[in-house]
Short mmCIF file of all heavy atoms in Angstrom, two decimals:
data_model
loop_
_atom_site.label_atom_id
_atom_site.label_comp_id
_atom_site.label_asym_id
_atom_site.label_seq_id
_atom_site.Cartn_x
_atom_site.Cartn_y
_atom_site.Cartn_z
N ARG R 1 -58.29 -222.45 -84.20
CA ARG R 1 -59.08 -223.49 -84.85
C ARG R 1 -59.80 -224.40 -83.85
O ARG R 1 -60.80 -225.04 -84.21
CB ARG R 1 -58.18 -224.34 -85.75
CG ARG R 1 -57.70 -223.64 -87.01
CD ARG R 1 -56.65 -224.46 -87.75
NE ARG R 1 -56.25 -223.81 -88.98
CZ ARG R 1 -56.72 -224.09 -90.19
NH1 ARG R 1 -57.64 -225.04 -90.32
NH2 ARG R 1 -56.31 -223.45 -91.26
N HIS R 2 -59.30 -224.46 -82.62
CA HIS R 2 -59.86 -225.38 -81.63
C HIS R 2 -60.12 -224.63 -80.30
O HIS R 2 -59.53 -224.95 -79.27
CB HIS R 2 -58.92 -226.55 -81.39
CG HIS R 2 -58.58 -227.31 -82.63
ND1 HIS R 2 -59.41 -228.28 -83.16
CD2 HIS R 2 -57.50 -227.23 -83.47
CE1 HIS R 2 -58.87 -228.76 -84.27
NE2 HIS R 2 -57.71 -228.15 -84.47
N PRO R 3 -61.01 -223.63 -80.32
CA PRO R 3 -61.26 -222.86 -79.10
C PRO R 3 -61.80 -223.70 -77.95
O PRO R 3 -61.58 -223.39 -76.78
CB PRO R 3 -62.27 -221.79 -79.54
CG PRO R 3 -62.93 -222.39 -80.76
CD PRO R 3 -61.85 -223.18 -81.44
N GLU R 4 -62.48 -224.79 -78.30
CA GLU R 4 -63.05 -225.65 -77.27
C GLU R 4 -61.97 -226.43 -76.50
O GLU R 4 -62.21 -226.90 -75.39
CB GLU R 4 -64.03 -226.65 -77.90
CG GLU R 4 -63.40 -227.79 -78.67
CD GLU R 4 -62.72 -227.40 -79.98
OE1 GLU R 4 -62.97 -226.27 -80.47
OE2 GLU R 4 -61.95 -228.22 -80.51
N ALA R 5 -60.78 -226.54 -77.07
CA ALA R 5 -59.70 -227.32 -76.44
C ALA R 5 -59.06 -226.58 -75.28
O ALA R 5 -58.48 -227.21 -74.39
CB ALA R 5 -58.65 -227.69 -77.48
N GLY R 6 -59.14 -225.26 -75.26
CA GLY R 6 -58.59 -224.49 -74.15
C GLY R 6 -57.07 -224.44 -74.13
O GLY R 6 -56.46 -224.63 -73.08
N LEU R 7 -56.46 -224.17 -75.27
CA LEU R 7 -55.00 -224.11 -75.32
C LEU R 7 -54.45 -222.94 -74.51
O LEU R 7 -53.35 -223.02 -73.96
CB LEU R 7 -54.50 -224.01 -76.76
CG LEU R 7 -54.37 -225.34 -77.52
CD1 LEU R 7 -55.72 -225.87 -77.96
CD2 LEU R 7 -53.43 -225.19 -78.71
N TRP R 8 -55.20 -221.85 -74.45
CA TRP R 8 -54.85 -220.71 -73.59
C TRP R 8 -55.77 -220.71 -72.37
O TRP R 8 -56.88 -221.23 -72.44
CB TRP R 8 -55.05 -219.38 -74.32
CG TRP R 8 -54.08 -219.06 -75.40
CD1 TRP R 8 -54.36 -218.91 -76.73
CD2 TRP R 8 -52.68 -218.80 -75.27
NE1 TRP R 8 -53.23 -218.59 -77.43
CE2 TRP R 8 -52.18 -218.50 -76.55
CE3 TRP R 8 -51.80 -218.78 -74.18
CZ2 TRP R 8 -50.84 -218.19 -76.79
CZ3 TRP R 8 -50.46 -218.47 -74.42
CH2 TRP R 8 -49.99 -218.18 -75.69
N PRO R 9 -55.32 -220.12 -71.25
CA PRO R 9 -56.23 -219.97 -70.10
C PRO R 9 -57.48 -219.18 -70.50
O PRO R 9 -57.42 -218.26 -71.33
CB PRO R 9 -55.39 -219.19 -69.09
CG PRO R 9 -53.97 -219.47 -69.45
CD PRO R 9 -53.97 -219.61 -70.95
N GLU R 10 -58.61 -219.53 -69.93
CA GLU R 10 -59.86 -218.85 -70.28
C GLU R 10 -59.92 -217.44 -69.72
O GLU R 10 -60.42 -216.52 -70.38
CB GLU R 10 -61.05 -219.67 -69.75
CG GLU R 10 -62.40 -219.11 -70.13
CD GLU R 10 -63.54 -219.99 -69.66
OE1 GLU R 10 -63.26 -221.09 -69.11
OE2 GLU R 10 -64.70 -219.59 -69.82
N ASP R 11 -59.42 -217.23 -68.51
CA ASP R 11 -59.46 -215.92 -67.88
C ASP R 11 -58.58 -214.93 -68.66
O ASP R 11 -57.42 -215.22 -68.95
CB ASP R 11 -58.96 -216.02 -66.44
CG ASP R 11 -58.97 -214.69 -65.73
OD1 ASP R 11 -57.95 -213.97 -65.80
OD2 ASP R 11 -60.00 -214.34 -65.11
N PRO R 12 -59.10 -213.74 -69.04
CA PRO R 12 -58.33 -212.79 -69.86
C PRO R 12 -57.01 -212.37 -69.23
O PRO R 12 -55.99 -212.23 -69.93
CB PRO R 12 -59.28 -211.60 -70.02
CG PRO R 12 -60.65 -212.17 -69.82
CD PRO R 12 -60.48 -213.25 -68.80
N LYS R 13 -56.99 -212.15 -67.91
CA LYS R 13 -55.75 -211.74 -67.26
C LYS R 13 -54.71 -212.85 -67.31
O LYS R 13 -53.53 -212.61 -67.57
CB LYS R 13 -56.03 -211.31 -65.82
CG LYS R 13 -56.84 -210.03 -65.72
CD LYS R 13 -57.03 -209.63 -64.27
CE LYS R 13 -57.81 -208.32 -64.17
NZ LYS R 13 -58.05 -207.90 -62.76
N LEU R 14 -55.15 -214.08 -67.05
CA LEU R 14 -54.22 -215.20 -67.12
C LEU R 14 -53.78 -215.45 -68.56
O LEU R 14 -52.61 -215.78 -68.80
CB LEU R 14 -54.87 -216.46 -66.55
CG LEU R 14 -55.21 -216.44 -65.05
CD1 LEU R 14 -55.80 -217.79 -64.63
CD2 LEU R 14 -54.00 -216.09 -64.21
N ARG R 15 -54.69 -215.28 -69.48
CA ARG R 15 -54.34 -215.48 -70.90
C ARG R 15 -53.29 -214.46 -71.34
O ARG R 15 -52.33 -214.80 -72.04
CB ARG R 15 -55.59 -215.38 -71.77
CG ARG R 15 -55.34 -215.73 -73.22
CD ARG R 15 -56.64 -215.94 -73.98
NE ARG R 15 -57.48 -214.74 -74.01
CZ ARG R 15 -58.65 -214.64 -73.37
NH1 ARG R 15 -59.12 -215.65 -72.65
NH2 ARG R 15 -59.36 -213.53 -73.46
N GLY R 16 -53.46 -213.21 -70.91
CA GLY R 16 -52.48 -212.19 -71.25
C GLY R 16 -51.11 -212.49 -70.66
O GLY R 16 -50.08 -212.32 -71.32
N LEU R 17 -51.09 -212.96 -69.41
CA LEU R 17 -49.82 -213.31 -68.78
C LEU R 17 -49.20 -214.52 -69.47
O LEU R 17 -47.98 -214.56 -69.69
CB LEU R 17 -50.04 -213.59 -67.30
CG LEU R 17 -48.80 -213.97 -66.49
CD1 LEU R 17 -47.72 -212.89 -66.60
CD2 LEU R 17 -49.17 -214.21 -65.02
N ALA R 18 -50.02 -215.50 -69.82
CA ALA R 18 -49.50 -216.68 -70.51
C ALA R 18 -48.89 -216.29 -71.85
O ALA R 18 -47.81 -216.79 -72.23
CB ALA R 18 -50.62 -217.70 -70.72
N ARG R 19 -49.53 -215.40 -72.58
CA ARG R 19 -48.98 -214.95 -73.86
C ARG R 19 -47.66 -214.21 -73.66
O ARG R 19 -46.72 -214.34 -74.45
CB ARG R 19 -49.99 -214.06 -74.58
CG ARG R 19 -51.08 -214.83 -75.32
CD ARG R 19 -51.81 -213.93 -76.30
NE ARG R 19 -52.55 -214.70 -77.28
CZ ARG R 19 -53.87 -214.84 -77.31
NH1 ARG R 19 -54.60 -214.27 -76.37
NH2 ARG R 19 -54.46 -215.55 -78.24
N THR R 20 -47.57 -213.44 -72.58
CA THR R 20 -46.34 -212.73 -72.27
C THR R 20 -45.20 -213.71 -72.00
O THR R 20 -44.08 -213.55 -72.50
CB THR R 20 -46.54 -211.81 -71.05
OG1 THR R 20 -47.53 -210.83 -71.37
CG2 THR R 20 -45.25 -211.11 -70.65
N LEU R 21 -45.49 -214.75 -71.23
CA LEU R 21 -44.47 -215.75 -70.92
C LEU R 21 -44.02 -216.48 -72.19
O LEU R 21 -42.83 -216.76 -72.37
CB LEU R 21 -44.99 -216.75 -69.90
CG LEU R 21 -44.63 -216.48 -68.43
CD1 LEU R 21 -45.25 -215.19 -67.95
CD2 LEU R 21 -45.07 -217.64 -67.54
N VAL R 22 -44.95 -216.80 -73.05
CA VAL R 22 -44.61 -217.50 -74.29
C VAL R 22 -43.74 -216.61 -75.18
O VAL R 22 -42.75 -217.07 -75.76
CB VAL R 22 -45.88 -217.95 -75.03
CG1 VAL R 22 -45.56 -218.37 -76.46
CG2 VAL R 22 -46.53 -219.10 -74.28
N ALA R 23 -44.10 -215.32 -75.28
CA ALA R 23 -43.33 -214.40 -76.12
C ALA R 23 -41.89 -214.28 -75.60
O ALA R 23 -40.94 -214.29 -76.40
CB ALA R 23 -44.00 -213.03 -76.14
N GLU R 24 -41.71 -214.19 -74.29
CA GLU R 24 -40.36 -214.09 -73.75
C GLU R 24 -39.58 -215.38 -73.98
O GLU R 24 -38.38 -215.35 -74.28
CB GLU R 24 -40.38 -213.74 -72.26
CG GLU R 24 -38.98 -213.57 -71.69
CD GLU R 24 -38.93 -212.81 -70.38
OE1 GLU R 24 -39.94 -212.14 -70.03
OE2 GLU R 24 -37.89 -212.87 -69.72
N MET R 25 -40.24 -216.51 -73.85
CA MET R 25 -39.56 -217.78 -74.10
C MET R 25 -39.12 -217.86 -75.55
O MET R 25 -38.04 -218.39 -75.88
CB MET R 25 -40.49 -218.95 -73.76
CG MET R 25 -39.90 -220.33 -73.98
SD MET R 25 -38.54 -220.73 -72.86
CE MET R 25 -37.13 -220.45 -73.89
N HIS R 26 -39.92 -217.33 -76.44
CA HIS R 26 -39.63 -217.42 -77.87
C HIS R 26 -38.39 -216.65 -78.26
O HIS R 26 -37.68 -217.05 -79.19
CB HIS R 26 -40.85 -216.91 -78.64
CG HIS R 26 -40.83 -217.28 -80.09
ND1 HIS R 26 -40.66 -216.35 -81.09
CD2 HIS R 26 -40.94 -218.47 -80.73
CE1 HIS R 26 -40.68 -216.95 -82.27
NE2 HIS R 26 -40.86 -218.24 -82.08
N VAL R 27 -38.11 -215.55 -77.57
CA VAL R 27 -37.00 -214.68 -77.99
C VAL R 27 -35.87 -214.61 -76.97
O VAL R 27 -34.80 -214.09 -77.28
CB VAL R 27 -37.50 -213.24 -78.27
CG1 VAL R 27 -38.54 -213.24 -79.38
CG2 VAL R 27 -38.07 -212.59 -77.02
N GLY R 28 -36.08 -215.12 -75.76
CA GLY R 28 -35.11 -214.92 -74.70
C GLY R 28 -34.35 -216.16 -74.29
O GLY R 28 -34.35 -217.18 -74.98
N PHE R 29 -33.66 -216.04 -73.16
CA PHE R 29 -32.93 -217.14 -72.53
C PHE R 29 -31.83 -217.69 -73.42
O PHE R 29 -31.62 -218.89 -73.52
CB PHE R 29 -33.91 -218.25 -72.10
CG PHE R 29 -35.01 -217.74 -71.21
CD1 PHE R 29 -36.27 -217.51 -71.72
CD2 PHE R 29 -34.76 -217.47 -69.87
CE1 PHE R 29 -37.29 -217.01 -70.91
CE2 PHE R 29 -35.78 -216.98 -69.05
CZ PHE R 29 -37.03 -216.74 -69.57
N GLY R 30 -31.10 -216.75 -74.05
CA GLY R 30 -30.06 -217.15 -74.99
C GLY R 30 -28.92 -217.92 -74.36
O GLY R 30 -28.42 -218.88 -74.95
N ALA R 31 -28.51 -217.52 -73.15
CA ALA R 31 -27.39 -218.22 -72.51
C ALA R 31 -27.76 -219.65 -72.20
O ALA R 31 -26.99 -220.59 -72.45
CB ALA R 31 -26.98 -217.48 -71.24
N LEU R 32 -28.96 -219.86 -71.67
CA LEU R 32 -29.41 -221.20 -71.32
C LEU R 32 -29.51 -222.07 -72.57
O LEU R 32 -29.11 -223.24 -72.57
CB LEU R 32 -30.75 -221.13 -70.60
CG LEU R 32 -31.36 -222.46 -70.13
CD1 LEU R 32 -30.42 -223.19 -69.19
CD2 LEU R 32 -32.71 -222.22 -69.45
N ARG R 33 -30.03 -221.51 -73.64
CA ARG R 33 -30.15 -222.28 -74.87
C ARG R 33 -28.78 -222.63 -75.46
O ARG R 33 -28.53 -223.76 -75.88
CB ARG R 33 -30.94 -221.49 -75.91
CG ARG R 33 -32.40 -221.29 -75.58
CD ARG R 33 -33.05 -220.55 -76.72
NE ARG R 33 -34.40 -220.13 -76.40
CZ ARG R 33 -35.15 -219.43 -77.24
NH1 ARG R 33 -34.68 -219.09 -78.41
NH2 ARG R 33 -36.38 -219.07 -76.90
#
């Protein structure tokens, strides 16, 4: 809804890596949590 805000990195490679990190955070790190 707000592409101008830049919530994800603009560069496609960085954006893909950022999405990967977010996905792992969403489902992982059970012991720490």
